[in-house]
Amino acid sequence: MATTGTDLSRMREMNQLSIVWALRGNPPSTVTELAGRTGLSRPAVDVLVQALVTDGWAAVEEPGARSVVGRPARRYRFRADAGHALGIDIGVHKVLVMLSDLEGNLVEAVRRPADPDADPAARLATVDAAIDELLDAAGMTPSDIWGMTVGVTGPVDATGRTSLFTPLPGWGEADPAGHLAARFRCPIQVENDCKLAAVAERWKGVAQDADDIVYLLAGIRTGAGLILDGTLRRGHGGAAGEIGALKAVRWLDAPGHLAACPGVPATARPGEAAAWVFQAAREGNREARTAVRRYTRDLAVGVAALVLALDPEIVVFGGGFSRSADIILDPLQRELTKHCLRLPELRTSTLGDESVALGGLRLALDDIDKRLLSAELAAPRAPRG
Amino acid sequence: MATTGTDLSRMREMNQLSIVWALRGNPPSTVTELAGRTGLSRPAVDVLVQALVTDGWAAVEEPGARSVVGRPARRYRFRADAGHALGIDIGVHKVLVMLSDLEGNLVEAVRRPADPDADPAARLATVDAAIDELLDAAGMTPSDIWGMTVGVTGPVDATGRTSLFTPLPGWGEADPAGHLAARFRCPIQVENDCKLAAVAERWKGVAQDADDIVYLLAGIRTGAGLILDGTLRRGHGGAAGEIGALKAVRWLDAPGHLAACPGVPATARPGEAAAWVFQAAREGNREARTAVRRYTRDLAVGVAALVLALDPEIVVFGGGFSRSADIILDPLQRELTKHCLRLPELRTSTLGDESVALGGLRLALDDIDKRLLSAELAAPRAPRG
DNA sequence: TGGATATCGCTGGGCAGTTTACTAATTCCC
DNA sequence: GGGAATTAGTAAACTGCCCAGCGATATCCA
């Protein structure tokens, strides 16, 4: 622990930051309220918040009619629109880009379809076009973006590539961070999509109250993202959660049980086949129910391995198949009971296919905060990386 | 993030603590050296370190002959003996108690054999006797102990009990923390032995350079402890690492392959049987080699599950069988290669059977540090829990 | 219109750390 | 042996920051 000495100026910075924290995420606040929240005296808060106003971090709110006695206080608000973050989901079938302000409020979102067989260059061109459209709609330039995260499939190594494996054709050699760095000066993170979805569930989804979470992505692909002690765990090589690679865990083949179900229309694409089976199972089709049972049996082994390894509080059931949670969750729970020592709570994701981009936003915002903490609080601009 | 405001007195505390950190773990230091390390000015360090001396946290070192020009500086050292910590390993066959000062230097250790069939009361009596002997030898009283950790087998829940399961007879209902709290006022942690061994390997063992570690306890029992991002992961219910409970992971039966090896002396106890097999395998006995291969095959499935789930940098091979790493490590590595995406480095523990008690010391010291950080630095005494 | 109430803005006091300057204690070298 | 060089210890003045407290100000309500 390399605790370093503190002097007055550093103390002032800390107090100014503590006011930023007290301001952010709260309705416009009076000096007295801020003093109460930070433990500082009113005069101190007054001086500091005025410095924040001149720096552009805070703004004075026009007082509306208020029904209190006494002299109405000025109210200050955090200027969440001083900077913005981008969350980018580069999926197999779509590209989704989301823009939020510093408080995480969604400003714009642009979705574009993507060809599953597109090569990396074409895919990145789609991303560029989506970003252009989004920045245009929001009236912004690249310099307004302080941080961004790109979500991709497959484990991401330290260089931001997915060289280990990826279902996207040719993507193993792609370098999305390098590509975007040509236009954006801000730090650019690249992260696995399951991991980002896990982050999103803890931020705005069904796992906001938990610190130890296993996120299960169940769809054509199967994957997992881990949150332990409240923060995303990447593993030393970024491959944490890839339990599906274990032979005893048949995650690669598991969705095959659905596709192989007798009665599936021959013309159905993989996702449609699964939906057909789930619907048939709902209607009581025996063969479909068997297929679902086989699927969940395979799925459960991997989940159980993660649960036993990590002992999470919650398992979040996400991914494309989470729309059919009504038919999957019960058998999955039964299977897990067989395997696990202590069964964590099982919840179904509600974020839909926006979770990856949302998680990207959260990670970018976290990174901005971390840089804010270490940097001095000058005029609002992207704190240097 | 509930950042709270700071005033002058808090600043002084922080600076005093920063001097404590700069003092600790270093040879006796001059004021100038401390100023360089903390970034504070010499006069400030001078005042603060003198306050530390009067409080009893620091002491002036008698200057020896020194071959520098200029006026010789006073040297100050951290009084590591101001407080002490206890690491207690309550094993199946032994009880080991270790005493260290605040810098983690070992002061005393007492080991006592334990009857594997002893009931909890008898086992705790052995612990008490060992502690008595140790405190007596060190000339200390319970009030000199600022923190302690008890290592036990089986997953430890939030109340410090091992109700889920434990190989110790009757131990599921035992409450070692409650028992010790009758004599000791300091905070008492109870933790799983594998987890403590993992902590010890990162502190003084073969994994000091890694932040993501899977510790494998291989012996009559098989277990694991996890360190991620540099800190021990307990899981929500304290059961992280219990991958052995998965049916596909045959950890419970794995050592059976050794005991069932043809040629094992009928009179041998479990541990002796394993040692016999390893020795026979070393000497080229085909049946023994087969038994070892079967053992490692079962062992590897669980390790692979942990490796895939967590993507650690290092797997530490510990436990009683680590003495025979020469004959186990190669086949284990071969098996792991089959299962894993990316093979972490495999290292053999060198701490022997002291690792649990050592890890207990480290955890107790960490806890003391955490309390120091939040409390004011008064005269040296156990910072209130 | 005047009282009640709460905020705003200002001033003096105390504290912590820095800077600067000076004195004290050594060693080195002639 | 004595002076120069070097480094440590100490005291003063200075700056910056927060806090307590007081009067001024703005609004509501009777």
Side-chain angles (χ1 to χ4, degrees):
Chain A
M1 188 157 351
T3 312
T4 182
T6 305
D7 63 354
L8 287 308
S9 64
R10 177 85 191 119
M11 184 170 94
R12 189 192 163 90
E13 277 173 28
M14 290 167 60
N15 284 344
Q16 209 157 3
L17 273 173
S18 88
I19 291 187
V20 169
W21 293 162
L23 224 39
R24 196 163 60 167
N26 284 107
S29 312
T30 69
V31 170
T32 311
E33 287 167 359
L34 292 173
R37 250 175 254 156
T38 57
L40 296 168
S41 71
R42 284 201 307 280
V45 171
D46 192 70
V47 170
L48 291 170
V49 81
Q50 273 174 33
L52 288 174
V53 170
T54 60
D55 281 348
W57 285 104
V60 184
E61 188 76 355
E62 283 313 304
R66 218 155 289 104
S67 62
V68 289
V69 290
R71 173 176 176 170
R74 265 200 287 273
R75 301 192 99 86
Y76 298 89
R77 64 175 175 84
F78 178 67
R79 280 197 51 210
D81 58 341
H84 291 82
L86 235 47
I88 304 175
D89 175 9
I90 305 185
V92 178
H93 294 93
K94 70 158 194 306
V95 164
L96 175 58
V97 186
M98 287 180 146
L99 174 75
S100 84
D101 64 21
L102 292 180
E103 278 180 332
N105 304 306
L106 196 64
V107 175
E108 282 287 340
V110 167
R111 176 191 301 261
R112 295 219 166 186
D115 180 357
D117 302 321
D119 64 11
R123 208 173 288 274
L124 286 175
T126 308
V127 172
D128 285 337
I131 293 177
D132 285 337
E133 181 184 335
L134 177 134
L135 288 182
D136 196 48
M140 289 190 191
T141 67
S143 64
D144 294 320
I145 307 300
W146 290 8
M148 65 171 72
T149 310
V150 183
V152 298
T153 65
V156 176
D157 63 22
T159 71
R161 290 170 207 237
T162 53
S163 35
L164 219 49
F165 71 75
T166 169
L168 295 183
W171 193 257
E173 293 304 309
D175 179 18
H179 177 81
L180 288 164
R183 296 176 61 198
F184 293 92
R185 288 292 187 74
C186 65
I188 301 169
Q189 301 182 72
V190 183
E191 194 48 271
N192 172 262
D193 53 357
C194 303
K195 296 188 173 66
L196 292 183
V199 170
E201 291 295 345
R202 189 177 133 86
W203 183 31
K204 297 201 161 180
V206 295
Q208 295 177 38
D209 54 335
D211 280 340
D212 295 285
I213 303 158
V214 166
Y215 174 87
L216 173 67
L217 178 97
I220 315 296
R221 291 180 302 123
T222 315
L226 314 175
I227 289 180
L228 299 175
D229 285 353
T231 47
L232 177 65
R233 300 298 154 179
R234 300 179 166 83
H236 181 247
E242 299 290 339
I243 190 76
L246 195 67
K247 287 187 190 60
V249 174
R250 304 175 59 80
W251 273 8
L252 262 180
D253 307 330
H257 291 302
L258 302 173
C261 176
V264 171
T267 58
R269 289 185 303 159
E272 296 167 353
W276 185 92
V277 175
F278 293 135
Q279 185 53 36
R282 233 175 248 118
E283 292 161 1
N285 180 319
R286 283 193 72 84
E287 285 166 328
R289 296 187 87 96
T290 305
V292 170
R293 201 167 54 243
R294 284 186 182 147
Y295 170 69
T296 53
R297 200 171 52 206
D298 280 3
L299 195 64
V301 178
V303 179
L306 291 174
V307 166
L308 285 166
L310 300 166
D311 190 25
E313 185 176 359
I314 292 178
V315 172
V316 176
F317 181 63
F321 293 175
S322 64
R323 277 191 299 268
S324 304
D326 59 311
I327 205 76
I328 303 178
L329 228 53
D330 278 346
L332 182 60
Q333 180 130 16
R334 273 197 300 276
E335 287 292 325
L336 285 180
T337 311
K338 290 187 205 165
H339 294 299
C340 298
L341 284 175
R342 195 188 61 77
L343 199 66
E345 193 181 340
L346 205 55
R347 295 186 191 167
T348 304
S349 164
T350 52
L351 294 177
D353 69 352
E354 295 185 337
S355 56
V356 177
L358 271 178
L361 277 180
R362 183 65 264 167
L363 238 51
L365 291 171
D366 286 345
D367 187 57
I368 291 172
D369 274 0
K370 213 172 63 187
R371 281 175 283 145
L372 274 184
L373 262 183
S374 55
E376 77 286 359
L377 209 56
R381 62 161 178 272
R384 67 259 171 114
Chain B
M1 186 158 351
T3 313
T4 182
T6 304
D7 64 354
L8 286 310
S9 63
R10 178 81 190 124
M11 184 170 95
R12 189 190 165 89
E13 279 172 25
M14 289 168 61
N15 284 342
Q16 211 157 1
L17 274 174
S18 86
I19 290 188
V20 168
W21 290 170
L23 225 39
R24 196 163 62 166
N26 284 106
S29 312
T30 68
V31 170
T32 310
E33 289 167 355
L34 291 173
R37 251 175 252 156
T38 57
L40 296 167
S41 68
R42 284 208 312 279
V45 172
D46 193 70
V47 170
L48 291 169
V49 81
Q50 274 174 34
L52 287 175
V53 170
T54 60
D55 281 348
W57 285 104
V60 183
E61 187 77 354
E62 282 313 306
R66 218 155 291 104
S67 62
V68 289
V69 297
R71 173 175 174 170
R74 270 199 285 273
R75 303 193 96 87
Y76 298 90
R77 67 175 173 83
F78 178 66
R79 282 197 51 208
D81 58 341
H84 291 81
L86 234 48
I88 304 175
D89 175 10
I90 305 185
V92 179
H93 294 94
K94 69 157 196 306
V95 164
L96 175 59
V97 185
M98 286 180 146
L99 174 75
S100 84
D101 64 21
L102 291 181
E103 278 179 331
N105 304 306
L106 197 65
V107 175
E108 282 285 342
V110 167
R111 175 191 302 260
R112 296 221 166 185
D115 180 356
D117 302 320
D119 65 11
R123 208 173 288 274
L124 286 175
T126 308
V127 172
D128 285 337
I131 292 177
D132 284 337
E133 182 185 336
L134 177 134
L135 288 182
D136 196 49
M140 291 189 191
T141 67
S143 64
D144 294 320
I145 307 299
W146 290 8
M148 66 171 72
T149 311
V150 183
V152 298
T153 65
V156 176
D157 63 22
T159 71
R161 288 168 208 240
T162 52
S163 34
L164 219 49
F165 69 76
T166 167
L168 295 183
W171 192 258
E173 293 305 310
D175 179 17
H179 176 81
L180 288 164
R183 295 176 62 200
F184 293 92
R185 288 292 187 75
C186 66
I188 301 169
Q189 301 181 73
V190 183
E191 193 48 271
N192 171 262
D193 53 356
C194 303
K195 294 188 174 65
L196 292 182
V199 169
E201 291 294 344
R202 190 177 132 85
W203 184 31
K204 297 201 162 180
V206 295
Q208 294 177 39
D209 53 336
D211 280 340
D212 296 285
I213 303 159
V214 165
Y215 174 88
L216 173 67
L217 178 97
I220 314 297
R221 290 179 305 122
T222 315
L226 314 175
I227 289 180
L228 299 175
D229 286 352
T231 47
L232 177 66
R233 299 298 153 180
R234 299 179 166 86
H236 181 248
E242 299 290 340
I243 190 75
L246 195 66
K247 288 186 188 62
V249 173
R250 304 176 58 81
W251 273 8
L252 262 180
D253 308 327
H257 290 302
L258 302 173
C261 176
V264 171
T267 58
R269 289 184 305 158
E272 297 167 353
W276 184 93
V277 175
F278 292 135
Q279 185 53 36
R282 232 175 250 120
E283 291 162 0
N285 180 319
R286 285 193 70 85
E287 286 164 329
R289 296 188 88 96
T290 304
V292 171
R293 203 167 52 242
R294 283 184 181 149
Y295 169 68
T296 53
R297 201 171 52 207
D298 279 3
L299 195 64
V301 177
V303 179
L306 291 173
V307 167
L308 285 166
L310 300 165
D311 190 23
E313 185 175 0
I314 291 177
V315 172
V316 176
F317 181 62
F321 293 175
S322 64
R323 279 191 299 269
S324 304
D326 59 312
I327 204 76
I328 302 176
L329 229 52
D330 278 347
L332 183 60
Q333 179 129 18
R334 272 197 300 275
E335 288 291 327
L336 285 179
T337 312
K338 289 186 205 165
H339 294 300
C340 297
L341 284 175
R342 195 187 61 77
L343 199 68
E345 193 180 339
L346 205 54
R347 295 186 191 166
T348 304
S349 164
T350 52
L351 294 177
D353 68 352
E354 296 184 334
S355 56
V356 178
L358 271 177
L361 278 180
R362 183 65 263 170
L363 239 51
L365 293 170
D366 287 346
D367 187 58
I368 292 172
D369 273 1
K370 212 172 66 187
R371 281 176 283 144
L372 273 185
L373 262 183
S374 55
E376 76 285 0
L377 210 56
R381 62 162 179 271
R384 67 259 171 112

